[in-house]
Amino acid sequence: MSADRGLSRTIGPGRLEIARGDLTRERVSAIVNAANSSLLGGGGVDGAIHRAGGPAILEECRAIRARRGSLPPGQAVITTGGALPARRVSHTVGPVWSGGRSGEPETLASCYGASLALAEEEGLESVAFPSISTGAFGYPIEEAAPVALRAIADALKTARHVRLVRCVLFSESDLETYGRALAAMVTG
Ligand code: AR6
């Protein structure tokens, strides 16, 4: 698979795409941040989003935190996109991998579902995700990819507004892993 060739699957009235790239450059209605419960920023894709999006995102995250406290894994909140090309950022907290028997797949699926539910509430058309939990949080990407794609496909089937979901992978090897999972996924 070449670096610039994405893969896609039609699901109901929508499309699921996988591609290699930098999430912060995505021209979609919303991108999703793999945040932590503090909502106050961090490294990885979280750091990249706050750097590229500027202080407006952190200000809104602080206000949300003041209002409702820290964000539990599997849930999502939405803010402005600040200076990003995407208008909105959904912040979700993935599970920390601890062997796979502590509800990690359910929590991971919930991150995708909750972010897409927020996009639906706001009538957004397109959403781009990173590979949640597979960096600092240690979730093996071969196990995370099918969970992520299944959760997105399930949400797309009943979506009324979201028509495009993109999984944006940072490395060629991550894209290949998602490509295998997409090819293996049964939809209909
Ligand atoms: N575009 C797309 N993917 C990216 C980018 C980017 N610009 N930058 C990194 N990735 P991680 P997690 C990939 O660690 O595992 C933070 O400190 C990266 O290669 O960002 O959910 C938070 O504050 C990896 O494949 O998120 C939390 O404390 C994927 O994004 C913690 O890390 C996710 O890696 C969350 O850990």
Side-chain angles (χ1 to χ4, degrees):
M1 191 187 301
S2 71
D4 58 0
R5 205 183 87 207
L7 286 173
S8 88
R9 178 83 68 95
T10 299
I11 296 165
R15 197 163 84 247
L16 168 53
E17 290 182 355
I18 61 172
R20 184 176 175 189
D22 177 350
L23 187 70
T24 64
R25 303 175 72 130
E26 285 288 304
R27 298 191 172 277
V28 285
S29 317
I31 62 170
V32 178
N33 183 13
N36 60 62
S37 291
S38 80
L39 291 175
L40 299 180
V45 73
D46 193 2
I49 287 170
H50 283 285
R51 272 195 306 279
I57 300 176
L58 189 58
E59 266 169 43
E60 266 193 60
C61 283
R62 282 191 205 283
I64 291 168
R65 196 185 140 88
R67 222 166 40 237
R68 56 169 285 173
S70 62
L71 187 68
Q75 296 188 19
V77 295
I78 197 160
T79 68
T80 177
L84 293 168
R87 200 160 80 244
R88 306 290 277 160
V89 178
S90 166
H91 305 261
T92 188
V93 182
V96 175
W97 179 257
S98 65
R101 295 204 178 134
S102 306
E104 293 96 327
E106 292 76 12
T107 304
L108 186 64
S110 171
C111 290
Y112 288 90
S115 292
L116 289 171
L118 286 175
E120 277 290 309
E121 270 173 34
E122 295 204 353
L124 304 181
E125 220 174 281
S126 53
V127 181
F129 284 93
S131 180
I132 297 166
S133 279
T134 64
F137 281 180
Y139 205 126
I141 193 160
E142 293 76 15
E143 300 199 34
V147 173
L149 295 175
R150 177 85 267 152
I152 292 167
D154 286 347
L156 265 179
K157 277 183 202 157
T158 55
R160 293 174 47 238
H161 302 284
V162 178
R163 289 293 174 261
L164 172 66
V165 178
R166 283 166 59 77
C167 291
V168 178
L169 290 319
F170 215 33
S171 71
E172 185 63 23
S173 111
D174 286 357
L175 177 60
E176 283 171 5
T177 304
Y178 267 67
R180 284 192 296 275
L182 186 62
M185 182 167 71
V186 178
T187 50

